[in-house]
Amino acid sequence: MIIRAMKDDTGGQILLAVLLAAVLLVPILSLAVPDSSPLHLSTYTVTLLGKYLCYALLAVAVDLVWGYLGILSLGHGAFFALGGYAMGMYLMRQIGDRGVYGDPVLPDFMVFLDWKELPWFWQGFDMFWFAALMALLAPGVLAYLFGYLAFRSRVTGVYLSIITQALTYALMLAFFRNEMGFGGNNGLTDFKDLLGFDLQSDATRAGLFVASALALGLGYLACRIIVTSRLGRVTVAIRDAESRTRFIGYRVEQIKAAIFTFSAMLAGLAGALYVPQVGIINPSEFSPINSIEIVIWVAVGGRATLYGAAVGALMVNYGKSLFTAVFPDAWLFALGGLFVLVTLLLPRGLTGLLRQRSAG
Amino acid sequence: MSSSRHGTRGNAPILAKLLLFLTCLTLTTGLSAETLEATLAQLAERSFKVKLEAVESIATSEDGRALSILEALAAGELYTWKGVPRVVIGRKSGRTMHLLDPLTGQALGEGRAKKIILNNAMRVALRGAIAARTLSSPDPAARLGAAREMLGDTSPAATKALATQLEREQDAEVRAAITLALAIARLGAQEADTRLAAVTALEASLYPEARNALLPLAEADPDPAVKAAATKTLEDIDQLLAWNARAETLFFGLSLGSVLVLAAIGLAITFGVMGVINMAHGELIMLGAYTTYLVQSALPGWIDYSLVLAIPAAFIVSGLFGIAIERTVIRFLYGRPLETLLATFGISLILQQLVRTFISAQNVVVQNPSWMSGSWQINPALALTYNRLYILIFALLVFAALLVILRRTALGLEVRAVSQNRAMARAMGVRSERVDALTFGLGAGIAGVAGVALSQLTNVGPNMGQAYIIDSFMVVVFGGVGNLWGTLVGGMTLGIANKVMEPWAGAVLAKILVLIFIILFIQKRPRGLFPQRGRAAEG
Amino acid sequence: MGGQVARWQYLNPGKTLAETLNISHKTLLYVEGVTVSFDGFRALNDLSFYVDLGELRCVIGPNGAGKTTMMDVVTGKTRPDSGYVFFGQTINLLELDEPRIAQAGIGRKFQKPTVFESHSVFENLELAMAGDKRVWPTLRARLSGEQRDRIDEVLGIVGLREQARGLAGALSHGQKQWLEIGMLLMQDPLLLLVDEPVAGMTHQEMDRTAELLRSLAGRHSVVVVEHDMDFVRSIAKRVTVLHQGAVLAEGSMDDVQQDPRVVEVYLGE
């Protein structure tokens, strides 16, 4: 199945090979090679790379629904953030009595708000398996409910994009509220350890990098399996001629809801891996601009290729790191210009350009 | 005024001045001045009790100048002159203190003085006394103000002053105010009949003082008839107040609605008529607001007029930006709405950064002209602020103007033709490219005009556009794409819904609920409140 | 009642909707008293119309007579204001949505040919193939040898064997029409609704299409909506004339053409 899925996907093969190499090399370069060596990777770099991989997974998830199903989701930032909050809640509970107020159960912000007991929706988050499950289920259930309602009513195209944006905007406003019980403005932070491993240690960071690379690799494979199956051909059929697909007997809304849900869960996974690496999750992750930025990563890489999305996410974020270090003020000009140029001049993205070159 | 004071300031010995002053005093005011002077001296005492007596004595004095003394005292301008046993008016200018005679207003030069300290009882007495004295002022507006001031003052002196004034009062409005104040005062009367008459007089009064005064009677008046009447009157008043509160909510809702309509109506054109998703719409609004700021900065002395000037300026600035965006980007993307969304989002980022780089990353201060401030007091429980009122009217005017442009002008005809059937319109000789550019420019220009209005209500900063873009899309989608009336009704409905929910849900939750409502609404009616109907729309 | 049964049967994976079809009366499609209005305009006006098992029926009528709306109602795209539409004796089509109607055995070709342009011709037929079209089975679906043979057979019927591996988007207009008919055949429908199959075709293509549709009748019931009178004459045994949303005349082509009301409608007053 995997061989069949990857057979004609040169870009994907390269991506997986690079990921495999990174999984093997990065921990060695970070942990075994001495600090003095030029080959040594600092913890900062490892964390940065791990962050990029989470973004890449997120971009692959967006490409699955945008490239193959025609749904321009402006809500994937929300699914990412929900996954991140689930992980953040686990990490908060791991702090235990090491918080500023030293309450063994309640996180600091709850003590600060003078709450007496843990709200019901925080129950269970002291267990890693539960939090991990929620990181997938919370975005998955939301995506399924939202998607099923929207797709059943045949909300498509820009309308769908706009209401996905409204969804993430509403969630952002909600998470900003202290009463929601997710730390309000400040979100969740001051994490100490994950499964007993100190989050600040080099080894944990390398481990998180490896986990992110594996998640990206497996997520990529899963998406490839879907798009090379008959279901994948049906999604493209829906993208190109939705009503025709319906008239040959496919239940379009169920297929859309299923793919959308799967994609949201991938986004949630990416968020869950992202949070322990950056050490904070707050409501600004829900901001609509984040969701649109993901779309531009996909567009830069080339939509409907999957590996293009990953490449786009890595390139744009690397560019962002470079740019904001050198000309912090110009980043928005560059990003804005990127949006305009890619849509006008590179509708198939950079990988499309490469394929054109190699074909012609 | 201050220059004249400075002009008369001299270095003559204090004693000589004092002598001169005393001479003047006896010459001009005679005996009553002496008594007033004596009472004034009492104010320099330490004891609050003595000071209070002095205030009461000045209040009942026949002397015409008593009022200005009381006012000076209330304003904290009365001082005791250090070293000289007399009370003076002191006005600080920088580090120096200019002293004036409280009876004549004559300048006494500079000196060190100690402020006369008031306590609460004195303040209450002062307010009542000033109002009671103002009540006999020749100016009806001052009398009206005094009568309002005396609402709830149940002291015998106040009652007496009110009753006296009522007998000779000619002005109807002032009479009504005095009657009301008197009724409130008489609620505390000994005789049940007087109280009953007072309760009846307070029927349908919306002054909070009336309601407060009625409360104890309704709860525990010894006379059952008075108690019943007070209870009934109170209920009626509460009902009236509730209606006024509803009217106020409605006004706030319409006000928010008008902002939404202003923000969304340009979008209704670019999205509804042209099918273009313009994510930079919010930034075109922002440009309009910044134009207002620039026009005000260019004409610093003309704040009252520059706002009016900013309307066409903002229309032109945002409109030109819109045309530029259409010509350079959007025209290559017709028929690909999702790509348009991405490209215009990029433009929105660039516009934000332009403002940050060339003007400021901070919010700028846009001033309100004087005619926009203040409020229209419809009754004691309902006041509509002028800025919101004008913006509501302005939104309706813009809406009407847009309807006229689309329905009655050649451009409007061409716009509608191109939006319905581009190929056919071109075949008929419509230059569709020019129409596209102008339509987009019109939508953008209206966004700019909306920015002028918004600059009067909210902070003007580089991010202000982002706050409106999602709301604007919600309004257009909710109202029904391609239908201007839908945008008007949709915007107003959402505005009112928001404000109705705010009291019990809070502002943020109300907004979230409205968003959720729209998301669910679109599931039920994907084409909005006023869908474009007919066979063509089915496809 | 019938709809209830059909709905219940749909939930029962043991028996597909198509298997519940009852055609003991030899009539496949019942359209009775159907009215559809758009903004006060009556597209269908108390239309009654029946299709027998295995028959080839042509529907003609001037523009706006309601031909396409009739197909929209049968396939679930448009809901009528009143009336009944039954497939066989038991299946109430008004209670089903488009995919279920398709699964029950009704295929439709649109006026404007719509095929999946970024898939190959072969894949287009594969997607249309009858079978379990729910999410999970579709994800796990593999083509069996038998299914390949069936696709190959249909490719032969519609004459696209040589283009099988090419993208559907690269086909000519006429070939797309045939591919769409081929996709209908893959669904194994009992009833084919074919909207203007020869619009924009050359004479040769038209002849082949006529042959194709004639060969389908018998195994399938075929309803063809067409403007081209020569084409209709070449294939039709029975013709229904629609006018202002109702049936004006029905019978053989000759009968219909001699009907004074039909002449009036087509030639004007």
Side-chain angles (χ1 to χ4, degrees), chain A residues 4 154 226 229-231 233-234 236-237 239-241 244-251 254-255 258, chain C residues 10 75 97-100 102-103 108 110 114 116 118-119 123 126-127 133 138-139 142-143 180 187:
Chain A
R4 204 174 60 110
R154 304 192 185 167
I226 290 174
S229 73
R230 185 184 293 168
L231 183 64
R233 289 192 283 283
V234 175
V236 172
R239 180 191 75 190
D240 293 348
R244 176 79 265 185
T245 318
R246 212 173 259 131
F247 281 109
I248 57 175
Y250 289 99
R251 306 204 60 88
Q254 287 183 358
I255 293 170
Chain C
Y10 179 77
T75 52
D97 59 6
E98 296 101 316
R100 283 183 192 165
Q103 286 160 2
R108 177 177 184 183
F110 287 92
T114 36
F116 305 127
S118 41
H119 286 314
E123 286 169 333
E126 179 201 348
L127 291 182
K133 289 178 172 167
T138 310
L139 178 64
R142 296 279 174 280
L143 278 177
E180 210 179 349
Q187 289 174 256

Side-chain angles (χ1 to χ4, degrees), chain B residues 125-142:
Chain B
L126 268 174
R127 253 205 314 274
I130 291 171
R133 290 204 78 95
T134 319
L135 206 53
S136 53
S137 145
D139 177 16

Side-chain angles (χ1 to χ4, degrees), chain B residues 262-342:
Chain B
L262 272 175
I265 199 153
L267 205 65
I269 296 193
T270 48
F271 183 32
V273 179
M274 304 176 75
V276 170
I277 305 295
N278 181 17
M279 295 297 279
H281 184 77
E283 278 61 38
L284 293 169
I285 295 176
M286 173 196 76
L287 287 179
Y290 271 94
T291 307
T292 315
Y293 164 73
L294 292 177
V295 169
Q296 284 191 348
S297 312
L299 303 167
W302 297 70
I303 296 300
D304 280 2
Y305 309 98
S306 56
L307 192 66
V308 178
L309 205 63
I311 294 172
F315 183 85
I316 292 168
V317 168
S318 291
L320 287 179
F321 265 94
I323 290 174
I325 293 169
E326 200 276 341
R327 284 291 85 189
T328 53
V329 177
I330 288 171
R331 73 175 167 133
F332 302 107
L333 298 171
Y334 281 118
R336 290 154 64 195
L338 296 179
E339 271 91 340
T340 327
L341 188 157
L342 293 178

Side-chain angles (χ1 to χ4, degrees), chain A residues 72 149-150 153 158-159 161-163 165-166 169-170 174 177 288-289 292 295 329 332-333 335-337 339-340 343, chain B residues 277 279 329 332 336-338 342-343 345-346 349-350 353 356 470 473-474 481 508-509 511-512 515 519 522-523 526:
Chain A
L72 177 58
L149 280 172
S153 323
V158 290
Y159 287 87
S161 302
I162 291 169
I163 64 168
Q165 188 174 37
Y169 185 56
R177 286 161 50 87
I289 179 172
I292 299 190
V295 173
D329 287 344
L332 278 188
F333 283 131
L335 187 64
F339 272 95
V340 176
T343 43
Chain B
I277 305 295
M279 295 297 279
V329 177
F332 302 107
R336 290 154 64 195
L338 296 179
L342 293 178
F345 184 77
L349 295 182
I350 294 174
Q353 194 57 41
R356 279 198 200 98
I470 292 178
F473 270 115
M474 289 294 119
V481 175
V508 178
L509 195 58
K511 193 159 182 174
I512 295 170
L515 279 175
I519 291 173
I522 293 173
Q523 323 271 3

Side-chain angles (χ1 to χ4, degrees), chain B residues 232-245:
Chain B
K232 173 83 177 60
T233 309
L234 207 55
E235 274 169 13
D236 291 350
I237 288 177
D238 282 347
Q239 214 161 21
L240 266 178
L241 282 176
W243 278 109
N244 277 295

